[in-house]
């Protein structure tokens, strides 16, 4: 692209790009906290039915004072198959005859039970409160939890469509600033939501702005970076997401009450809104949208910050029009997302890439948003998974450069699927093995996503890259919306969601074989380049 020549003159990866990235980094990290927030604010603590003789403070000590709480619990709550108190049923009447069984366990199926008609008693040792304990989303109402998670993802799906169009029309910086303020307000209000319906509405609104914050921050970094450094910058952005995972684990460990945690990860966006005024608008976008004067002004600022003093002589309107004549003419030809499907080769690439993106996103959010499936210490899991993902992303960048795009993606995608499927058949008691397999899975997902981003960027023609990114983002958030909803399938088969999470990446690894290799290959600028490859 002709714009690359200007980037080389003003500095394609210098002091300005580093400062821009540092200014953007905190908002990206806290946005990741917002995306994965329900891991902690919607955590399900240990619970059992409320029982009169044990939990009613008005019961006289003379009635049960000679019996310990453990004994009263045994008289009131049946045991499940693991000989632990049932979570969703209690005896219809206290079973006093159980006092005389001397440690033996009777056949509970012969005793009359009933659901928890008087509510539940929750264990508050790990969390002071969550939306689950506040609105009793357990037992017959447990499907409400994945609904809450999906509302945020649904907001990201809608926001990706709306704000993606607005960003192309009004600029990356303006829409980013609006969305930072929107997320600050909606996130803060969610901390005070009086009902579940209001909470879901505010989380949906937060999701709409979160996707725009991620997308526009990424564009304000990538569109100021030369092509040779894009793979490195994409990897650094991925590492920022992993750092956000680790930060969330630490914040959730300190703030155990869900409203407080919600507030802590929302208020900083007011600060990010104020600091975003120092971000630089994309000169590439300004020039393409017939604002060359403003584009040149931004380029001169960047050249000054990068110490490129000799760039002033060539940064003028005549040089701009001469260098970017073809690009400016191409900008006059309006393109749409449908152009990705008009020609056979590009249509094939687009469909295959979108399938791979969907198949890798489903297990990514399936694991990331269901940490309790792997054990009780979810604070530590969040930090470990984030650290391992950071290492895996850097490893993927090295393998991409030596082995190519296709083999790298296939390797990591197969490992993702196999680790999830293997974990499905590991008993809950074998916590160490379960966490190990989950760590392998989340690490390989991070590496697979990094590999995909590099491959996709190299397969799409420059003329349609923005449209391809917008479509890609919609598929991401559709898959992210679907991933938590798949957990409702546990009512039919407990392992069914995890089998789906494991099969998806294995299929996508096979699909990668149908895509061309792009290592050390020239990039495509136009649709015709793709068709004539």
């Amino acid at each position: 692209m002709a714009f690359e020549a200007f980037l080389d003159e003003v500095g394609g990866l210098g002091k300005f790009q580093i400062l821009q990235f540092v200014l953007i980094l905190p908002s990206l990290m806290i946005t990741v906290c917002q995306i994965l927030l329900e891991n902690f604010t919607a955590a399900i603590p240990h619970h059992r039915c409320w029982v009169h003789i044990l939990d009613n403070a008005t019961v006289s000590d003379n009635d049960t004072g000679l019996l310990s709480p453990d004994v009263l619990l045994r008289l009131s709550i049946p045991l499940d198959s693991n000989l632990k108190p049932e979570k969703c049923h209690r005896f219809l009447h206290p079973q006093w005859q159980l006092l005389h069984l001397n440690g033996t366990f009777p056949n509970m199926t012969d005793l009359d039970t009933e659901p928890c008609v008087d509510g539940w008693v929750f264990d508050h040792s790990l969390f002071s409160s969550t939306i689950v304990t506040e609105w009793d989303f357990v037992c017959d109402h447990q499907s409400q939890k994945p609904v809450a998670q999906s509302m945020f993802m649904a907001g990201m799906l809608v926001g990706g469509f709306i704000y993606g169009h607005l960003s192309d029309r009004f600029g990356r910086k303006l829409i980013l600033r609006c969305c930072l303020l929107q997320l600050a307000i909606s996130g803060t209000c969610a901390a005070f939501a009086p009902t579940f319906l209001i909470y879901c509405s505010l989380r949906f609104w937060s999701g709409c702005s979160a996707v725009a914050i991620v997308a526009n921050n990424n564009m304000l970094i990538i569109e100021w970076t030369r092509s040779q450094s894009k793979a490195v910058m994409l990897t650094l952005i991925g590492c920022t997401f992993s750092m956000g995972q680790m930060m969330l684990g630490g914040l959730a460990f300190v703030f155990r009450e869900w409203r407080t945690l919600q507030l802590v990860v929302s208020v900083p966006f007011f600060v990010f809104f104020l600091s975003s005024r120092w971000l630089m608008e994309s000169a590439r976008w300004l020039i393409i949208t017939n604002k060359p004067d403003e584009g040149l002004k931004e380029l001169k600022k960047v050249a000054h910050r990068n110490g490129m003093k000799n760039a002033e002589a060539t940064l003028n309107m005549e040089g701009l029009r001469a260098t970017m004549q073809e690009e400016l003419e191409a900008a006059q030809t309006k393109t749409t997302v449908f152009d990705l499907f008009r020609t056979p080769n590009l249509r094939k690439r687009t469909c295959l890439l979108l399938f791979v993106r969907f198949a890798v996103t489903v297990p990514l959010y399936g694991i990331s948003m269901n940490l309790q499936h792997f054990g009780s210490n979810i604070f530590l899991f969040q930090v470990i998974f984030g650290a391992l993902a950071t290492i895996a992303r850097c490893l993927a960048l090295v393998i991409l450069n030596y082995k190519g795009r296709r083999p790298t993606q296939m390797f990591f995608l197969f490992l993702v699927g196999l680790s999830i499927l293997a974990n499905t058949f590991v008993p809950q008691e074998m916590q160490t093995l379960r966490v190990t397999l989950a760590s392998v899975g989340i690490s390989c997902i991070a590496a697979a996503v990094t590999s995909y981003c590099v491959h996709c960027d190299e397969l799409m023609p420059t003329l349609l890259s923005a449209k391809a990114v917008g479509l890609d983002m919609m598929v991401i958030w559709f898959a992210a919306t679907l991933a938590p909803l798949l957990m409702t399938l546990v009512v039919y088969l407990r392992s069914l969601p995890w089998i789906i999470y494991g099969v998806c990446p294995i299929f996508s690894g096979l699909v990668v074989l149908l895509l061309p290799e792009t290592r050390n290959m020239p990039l495509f600028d136009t649709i015709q380049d793709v068709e004539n490859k």
Side-chain angles (χ1 to χ4, degrees), residues 5-25:
F6 286 103
L7 278 182
D8 289 335
E9 289 186 29
V10 303
L13 188 62
K15 181 180 177 181
F16 161 74
Q17 282 82 2
I18 294 173
L19 290 174
Q20 181 105 327
F21 180 77
V22 170
L23 193 59
I24 284 171
L25 180 130

Side-chain angles (χ1 to χ4, degrees), residues 164-212:
H165 174 73
L166 294 178
S167 296
D168 285 339
R169 183 171 182 181
F170 298 106
R172 286 64 166 112
K173 182 178 175 179
L174 175 62
I175 300 303
L176 172 63
R177 298 200 71 200
C178 292
C179 289
L180 286 170
L181 182 60
Q182 177 181 316
L183 184 53
I185 295 172
S186 59
T188 301
C189 291
F192 302 97
T195 66
F196 181 61
L197 180 60
I198 294 176
Y199 171 80
C200 284
S201 301
L202 291 168
R203 287 292 288 165
F204 177 87
W205 199 240
S206 295
C208 288
S209 51
V211 65

